[in-house]
Amino acid sequence: MSTVTPQELVERALAASTVDGQITYVTESSEANLRWASNSLTTNGAMRSRQVVVISFVDGGAGMATGTVARTGSPDIAELVARSEQAARDAGPAEDAVPLISEAPAGSGNWDAEAAETSIGVFADFAPALGEAFQAARGRDELLFGFAEHQLATTYLGSSTGLRLRHDQPTGRVELNGKSTDFGRSVWAGVGTRDFTDVSVADLAAEVQQKMAWSQRRIELPAGRYETLLPPSTVSDLMIVAYWSMEARDADEGRSVYARQGGGNRIGDRLAALPLDLRSDPNAPGLETSPFQVVGGSSGSASVFDNGMPTPAVDWISGGVLTNLVRPRAWALKTTAPATAAVDNLVLEDPNATASPAEMIAGTERGLLLTTLWYIREVDPQTLLVTGLTRDGVFLVEGGEVTGAVNNFRFNESPVDLLARATQASRTERTLPREWNDWFTRAAMPMLRVPDFNMSSVSPAS
């Protein structure tokens, strides 16, 4: 790694600017990981990386244009700035152009401090506990597979308007798969974490052991609509899809599930039968994330002109009613609506919920209990219909007890429609999305009961 500090790179880029504005940010990342298979550690490692992003703003007379160039390592800053400025000159006027942010948000960090760094030492307590889980699994003639990763990313953002912002983002996750020695049965447990001090290998291993015991009896069921218990991980994957679709412009222009028939958006409409709250908060305990925006490229949900914009807590759904959509400043000005930034975490909660997931299972006469979902793909943006597959354990619940594992299914459902049909939610708990955790790990969700979840076909996957 270069001896040039990230702060120096930002300052050099800003000093090299010859155009109407510039934003530069540098992200210093360090990562440590463990991987295991068949009850044995296979690899461990640590790595560091750096990304430098320069965004130039050029007023060509017809409007402000932007150009973004990114490089890894410690690139030639003069060349990087020149390429960014040329990209802006070659681009047309940006429709999201607004004045750059000039006021630093609260919680903008210690600019002068060195970047935070993780190491393999983050697993000092985790690794011995994992060894104990391996030994127990061998005693049951079962196999454990999985990985643990921890990353610390420090971002330094500077602008020609005087911003000097810094944020440290820790991100960790564990995925634990249990399999039978003939690989005929497979189950999963996972958790997200900031620092691994709150990760209990014993709890994850116990969850895997329980699901392996449940899966010893095999039951074949046809496709159809079933009362289904969606555990927090599956709820998070579905709610992330709903969240990523919350672009105000798409709704205002009639292109999304949040568009109102006849024009406008559905803010103020009831989406959930239960009094559910869907919210994001950069200060949510255990889910803390950046209090300001860092944007490399404009989209319907974010704008490069909004770099450094505060990301305060926001309620997306309150008491079951849609209350906000993601709205960059430029679109907010065009629609005379408040600018609302996306936040990198998500919480769904029923404030009246008292049951635990185990109590919801005990209260089920007959239904399916899922583990995770995967291959989730959008089918229709107007209804947000998605399709996907169940994975690593679908269990039959009868008389309040799990009686066996059933075959996998393909499902067709809309996350927004599921909110309208859910009849019970458990207490909310931190969880790890399975499908989306390469991009989104900070979530807290309840278990949801859906009386008629659409298992559209049987899947041959095992």
Side-chain angles (χ1 to χ4, degrees), residues 175-177 187-190 207-208 211 233 371-372 392 432 434:
E175 294 197 31
L176 185 65
N177 276 98
V187 302
W188 179 92
E207 183 178 344
V208 165
K211 290 175 180 176
S233 177
T371 298
T372 61
D392 285 327
L432 180 69
R434 178 76 182 278

Side-chain angles (χ1 to χ4, degrees), residues 36-342:
W36 55 90
S38 300
N39 300 329
S40 298
L41 282 172
T42 55
T43 61
N44 65 79
M47 62 199 76
R48 294 186 64 188
S49 63
R50 170 183 282 174
Q51 183 184 49
V52 183
V53 179
V54 177
I55 308 166
S56 294
F57 301 84
V58 175
D59 188 347
M64 192 70 75
T66 73
T68 300
V69 177
R71 295 287 187 273
T72 57
S74 295
D76 183 317
I77 287 296
E79 178 187 5
L80 192 61
V81 170
R83 287 180 177 274
S84 173
E85 292 180 351
Q86 189 58 52
R89 292 187 183 99
D90 293 341
E95 64 176 359
D96 58 333
V98 291
L100 299 183
I101 300 288
S102 58
E103 184 176 347
S108 51
N110 182 354
W111 175 263
D112 296 323
E114 292 184 1
E117 186 175 354
T118 191
S119 71
I120 205 73
V122 75
F123 303 122
D125 295 328
F126 178 89
L130 187 64
E132 294 175 6
F134 290 161
Q135 184 175 0
R138 292 188 196 101
R140 300 190 304 272
D141 203 24
E142 295 172 357
L143 303 174
L144 295 180
F145 295 76
F147 64 89
E149 294 178 347
H150 188 251
Q151 182 188 64
L152 256 175
T154 299
T155 298
Y156 298 87
L157 183 149
S159 75
S160 55
T161 57
L163 292 181
R164 297 295 186 273
L165 311 179
R166 176 249 181 84
H167 178 69
D168 298 325
Q169 184 63 68
T171 302
R173 57 177 174 164
V174 182
E175 294 197 31
L176 185 65
N177 276 98
K179 298 182 185 295
S180 57
T181 53
D182 64 359
F183 296 97
R185 295 178 289 141
S186 178
V187 302
W188 179 92
V191 67
T193 180
R194 285 174 61 84
D195 57 14
F196 277 81
T197 60
D198 57 350
V199 174
S200 170
V201 176
D203 287 350
L204 290 170
E207 183 178 344
V208 165
Q209 181 181 352
Q210 181 182 59
K211 290 175 180 176
M212 287 295 289
W214 286 345
S215 65
Q216 289 180 355
R217 179 181 178 226
R218 177 78 176 186
I219 305 161
E220 298 295 328
L221 290 179
R225 289 188 175 271
Y226 291 91
E227 178 169 315
T228 301
L229 297 175
L230 302 173
S233 177
T234 63
V235 174
S236 68
D237 278 320
L238 292 168
M239 289 303 103
I240 289 167
V241 173
Y243 183 37
W244 283 344
S245 301
M246 284 183 165
E247 295 182 6
R249 182 170 183 175
D250 281 351
D252 293 341
E253 295 182 342
R255 297 192 302 271
S256 86
V257 69
Y258 303 108
R260 179 173 287 147
Q261 289 187 353
N265 60 55
R266 296 178 63 188
I267 288 178
D269 287 5
R270 175 164 292 281
L271 300 185
L274 297 172
L276 294 171
D277 298 328
L278 183 69
R279 64 181 184 274
S280 298
D281 181 352
N283 297 312
L287 307 174
E288 294 90 345
T289 188
S290 177
F292 57 85
Q293 286 207 300
V294 179
V295 183
S298 292
S299 66
S301 61
S303 167
V304 292
F305 291 89
D306 291 347
N307 270 293
M309 175 180 168
T311 56
V314 57
D315 293 328
W316 307 108
I317 297 173
S318 182
V321 175
L322 182 66
T323 50
N324 275 300
L325 294 169
V326 178
R327 190 178 293 105
R329 288 186 300 147
W331 190 248
L333 288 170
K334 290 179 182 179
T335 57
T336 64
T340 308

